[in-house]
């Protein structure tokens, strides 16, 4: 070893230098990209914290800070209730989709039954059908059921997500067969195996999926806009009211409202993110 | 009680017959080892008994009761998996107690039983750990603990030692033996490792291609293999098996092949072998039953003549590969054998150590007392 190093003195130092440059370039690139992603969010909060008469300012840092936009948005909108409503809607949708996905995926992986492949293809199919195709039939159904203009009207058609079924089916298909067999021999029923063996060990993918489904539901604008014609129902519609106000967009109010609307998402993310990481580290499965 | 009877048990996967009409009666308290090469259907058979897969034919009886279609949980059998199948999200204590909690036993009772089992398996210090924080040997003991806590009618074990290193395997074997003596519960144990089978079993069932080749005590299986397959599976190295011809020369029965000459019944009174007809056989002799000779032994002593090809060191012993006729014969003896490649050798054995098998069917040939005083060699099957 010593001789090898002596005969080629430059090699080690040179590769070390190259690695360092490569690392630095990589880090620089990643930093630039993340700045690029984060900047709009930063700008939203920066703008929301400017004084209401300074919202068009382009200075990088809002100074002096002001909560004027927040008090303003609280005056014109029932922002607390909007966020609560949206939260409930998104939560019920996400939990519903998760639950349906879990049960459907379990059925698809744990049993062989007639028409299985066909049913699965149908699930995949609904995922491929564009929203616009089902939009009007769903709308008519809601109308018949008298659910237009209600929060359940937003929730019910969204309780099943093919995405959840597909993803969870993949995870369950690769779930160790022996664990399920062991639990069967140990005297658990199929139902109890799902909850005492499978779910605890699928915490990571379930948490990740929960985040995605919740954010999807939270961000959905079109469907609530169609079902709910009132601006005081969910936050997406409330914010739209600010955008199309008579004096043009109320930028300060929009930024403050959006800033508030993002907070529950951050909260959910922080809450579940820990689970995702934790579960990855803890599970002895992979 | 735990008597398991298999009656024509069959499992097909499409055209593949994984388990082919197995009839087996496992007495209460027996340690029966299912032995066979990879893919012979051992795991499938075990899963059929456990009820994890339904059979395509035949029946399973437990203490006389037909459980062929009973759910696994109803069978009161416990299983130890090759992968151990410990629940990753539960601590050792909760893993061991899992079957009792599933049976809704009171919590205090579960705790007491877990402590007892942990004591028995020396797991007391590990009760709060999770499976991923355990070594392979410890995981294995937890898996055993989870099985014995239920006090089942029988244990089903699928290669429980195959993920352990050689030393641990040996000590765990000893542990299994004492555990079995202590609990007296029926064990149905799957392995492809002959050492495990020979050292643990009260009886061995040899499987090949989904069929039972032979069932017997370890001694029977080793000393009187019923077929070429069983003979070639057991022993390390396994029995030498060479094509040969059985002849009846001047009233003496002799096996001959290129480089082999063996009188089977030296010293028998003339006429005792009348009726033995010439036939193609497989000649078998175990490597450890050969010894070096200089060819000056008693006339008629079975002798194999060949040339040493290679010598392998096993530590205490050596194995020499010798070319005999067109075949390879392995010869095992205490080190050093004093042989070198290229050297001609003569290997002698005793007539008692020679096994003969029918060339066509592969079944063992045995001497059967003939009604008319003669004893023709005929296949038993
Ligand atoms: N689910 C299945 N579908 C199709 N064929 C199968 C299935 N399970 C097992 N087999 C086949 O059945 C035969 C027996 O398999 P089995 O797992 O019982 O073997 P084994 O004796 O346990 O082997 P090993 O020692 O490698 O574990 C094999 O040929 C295997 O390919
Ligand atoms: Mg197997």
């Amino acid at each position: 070893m010593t001789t090898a190093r002596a005969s080629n003195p430059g090699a080690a130092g040179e590769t070390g230098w190259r690695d360092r440059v490569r690392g630095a370039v990589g880090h620089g690139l990643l930093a630039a990209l993340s700045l690029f992603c984060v900047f709009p969010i930063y700008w939203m909060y920066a703008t929301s914290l400017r004084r209401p008469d300074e919202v068009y300012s382009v200075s990088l840092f809002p100074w002096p800070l002001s909560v004027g936009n927040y008090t303003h948005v609280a005056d014109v909108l029932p922002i607390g209730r909007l966020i609560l409503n949206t939260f409930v809607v998104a939560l019920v949708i996400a939990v519903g989709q998760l639950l349906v996905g879990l049960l459907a995926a379990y059925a698809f992986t744990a049993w062989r039954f007639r028409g299985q492949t066909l049913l699965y293809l149908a699930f995949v199919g609904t995922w491929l059908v564009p929203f616009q195709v089902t939009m009007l039939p769903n709308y008519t159904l809601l109308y018949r059921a008298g659910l237009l203009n209600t929060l359940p009207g937003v929730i019910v058609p969204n309780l099943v997500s093919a995405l959840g079924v597909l993803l969870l089916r993949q995870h369950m298909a690769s779930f160790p067969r022996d664990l399920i067999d062991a639990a069967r021999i140990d005297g658990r029923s199929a139902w109890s195996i799902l909850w005492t063996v499978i779910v605890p060990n699928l915490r990571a993918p379930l948490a990740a999926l929960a985040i995605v489904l919740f954010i999807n539901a939270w961000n959905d604008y079109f469907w609530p806009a169609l079902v709910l014609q009132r601006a005081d129902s969910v936050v997406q519609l409330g914010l739209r009211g600010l955008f199309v106000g008579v004096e043009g967009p109320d930028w300060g109010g929009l930024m403050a409202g959006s800033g508030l609307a993002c907070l529950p998402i951050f909260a959910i993310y922080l809450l579940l993110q820990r689970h995702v990481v934790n579960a990855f580290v803890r599970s002895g499965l992979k | 009680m735990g008597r398991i009877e298999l009656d024509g048990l069959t499992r097909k996967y499409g055209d593949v017959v994984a388990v082919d009409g197995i009839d087996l009666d496992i007495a209460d308290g027996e340690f029966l080892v299912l032995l066979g090469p990879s893919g012979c259907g051992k795991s499938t058979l075990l899963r059929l008994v456990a009820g994890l897969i339904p059979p395509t034919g035949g029946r399973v009886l437990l203490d006389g009761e037909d459980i062929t279609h009973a759910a696994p949980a109803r069978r009161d059998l416990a299983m130890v998996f090759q992968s151990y199948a410990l629940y990753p999200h539960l601590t050792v204590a909760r893993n061991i107690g899992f079957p009792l909690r599933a049976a809704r036993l009171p919590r205090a009772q579960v705790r007491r039983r877990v402590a007892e089992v942990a004591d028995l398996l020396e797991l007391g210090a590990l009760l709060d750990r999770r499976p991923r924080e355990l070594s392979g040997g410890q995981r294995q003991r937890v898996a055993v603990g989870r099985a014995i806590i239920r006090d089942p009618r029988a244990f089903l074990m699928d290669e429980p030692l195959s993920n352990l290193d050689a030393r641990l395997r040996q000590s765990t074997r000893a542990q299994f033996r004492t555990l079995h003596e202590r609990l007296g519960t029926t064990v149905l144990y799957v392995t492809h490792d002959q050492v495990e089978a020979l050292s643990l079993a009260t009886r061995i069932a040899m499987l090949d291609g989904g069929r039972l080749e032979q069932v017997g005590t370890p001694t029977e299986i080793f000393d009187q293999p019923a077929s070429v397959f069983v003979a070639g599976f057991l022993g390390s190295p396994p029995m030498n098996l060479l094509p040969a011809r059985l002849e009846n020369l001047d009233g003496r029965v002799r096996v001959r092949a290129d480089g082999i000459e063996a009188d089977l019944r030296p010293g028998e009174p003339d006429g005792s072998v009348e009726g033995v007809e010439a036939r193609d056989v497989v000649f078998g002799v175990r490597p450890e039953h050969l010894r070096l000779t200089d060819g000056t032994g008693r006339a008629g002593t079975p002798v194999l003549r060949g040339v040493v090809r290679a010598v392998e060191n096993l530590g205490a012993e050596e194995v020499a590969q010798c070319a005999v006729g067109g075949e390879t014969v392995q010869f095992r003896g205490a080190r050093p054998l004093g042989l070198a490649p290229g050297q001609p050798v003569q290997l002698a054995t005793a007539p008692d150590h020679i096994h003969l098998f029918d060339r066509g069917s592969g079944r063992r040939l045995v001497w059967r007392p003939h009604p008319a005083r003669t004893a023709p060699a005929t296949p038993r099957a």
Side-chain angles (χ1 to χ4, degrees), chain A residues 44 47 54 228:
Chain A
M44 174 180 75
T47 307
E54 274 180 4
L228 307 167

Side-chain angles (χ1 to χ4, degrees), chain A residues 155-173:
Chain A
I155 294 171
V156 171
N158 282 314
L159 278 179
V160 181
S161 136
L163 175 72
V165 178
L166 303 192
L167 268 175
L168 287 176
R169 196 191 88 119
Q170 285 314 312
H171 281 288
M172 283 199 197

Side-chain angles (χ1 to χ4, degrees), chain B residues 6-250:
Chain B
L6 310 181
D7 175 17
L9 201 60
T10 302
R11 171 71 204 200
K12 293 182 189 155
Y13 289 109
D15 290 338
V16 183
V17 187
V19 169
D20 193 357
I22 301 280
D23 295 309
L24 196 56
D25 189 345
I26 304 158
D28 182 42
E30 206 170 355
F31 198 123
L32 188 118
V33 174
L34 289 169
L35 179 65
S38 187
C40 70
K42 308 180 296 289
S43 297
T44 308
L45 183 54
L46 206 65
R47 279 163 187 274
L48 288 171
V49 175
L52 294 173
I53 48 176
T56 45
R59 296 189 306 157
V60 182
L61 296 122
L62 182 60
D63 292 328
E65 183 195 348
D66 190 337
I67 56 163
T68 314
H69 301 289
R74 291 274 161 74
R75 300 189 176 203
D76 200 10
L77 304 170
M79 185 150 166
V80 178
F81 292 79
Q82 181 174 6
S83 62
Y84 309 144
L86 301 180
Y87 308 114
H89 62 296
L90 298 179
T91 60
V92 168
R94 294 181 67 84
N95 260 287
I96 296 178
F98 191 89
L100 298 189
R101 284 201 310 280
R104 302 195 184 286
L105 254 62
R107 213 181 275 183
Q109 198 177 340
V110 173
R111 215 171 308 133
R112 208 187 61 236
R113 293 279 294 133
V114 167
E116 279 170 22
V117 168
D119 225 29
L120 185 68
L121 296 170
E122 291 163 33
L123 287 168
L126 307 173
L127 285 177
D128 291 327
R129 298 218 202 150
R130 276 170 216 278
R132 73 185 157 84
E133 298 163 337
L134 300 177
S135 73
Q138 292 165 339
R139 282 179 208 187
Q140 200 273 339
R141 292 206 313 268
V142 176
V144 170
R146 192 176 65 187
I148 62 181
I149 197 166
R150 285 172 48 190
D151 195 14
R153 288 208 248 185
F155 294 113
L156 310 175
M157 303 196 176
D158 193 352
E159 312 205 19
L161 302 186
S162 62
N163 288 330
L164 302 181
D165 67 49
R167 187 114 70 94
L168 204 51
R169 219 177 288 174
Q170 191 173 0
S171 59
T172 314
R173 272 207 312 266
Q175 219 174 30
F176 275 3
R177 212 174 301 119
T178 38
L179 211 57
H180 178 244
E181 276 161 18
R182 188 156 160 187
L183 302 173
T185 312
T186 313
V187 180
L188 182 53
Y189 184 106
V190 160
T191 181
H192 59 251
D193 180 25
Q194 49 168 315
V195 180
E196 267 170 49
L198 292 169
S199 65
L200 283 174
T202 54
R203 269 200 312 162
I204 296 175
M206 279 283 316
L207 278 176
D208 183 32
R211 287 168 190 271
L212 270 187
E213 278 283 320
Q214 185 175 3
V215 184
T217 63
T219 328
E220 281 165 8
I221 296 258
F222 197 83
D223 293 345
Q224 290 142 41
S227 67
V228 171
F229 171 80
V230 177
F233 193 86
L234 293 172
S236 60
M239 186 183 286
N240 295 300
L241 295 162
L242 311 153
R245 185 138 179 98
L246 184 72
E247 290 170 349
N248 191 346
L249 284 175
D250 320 324

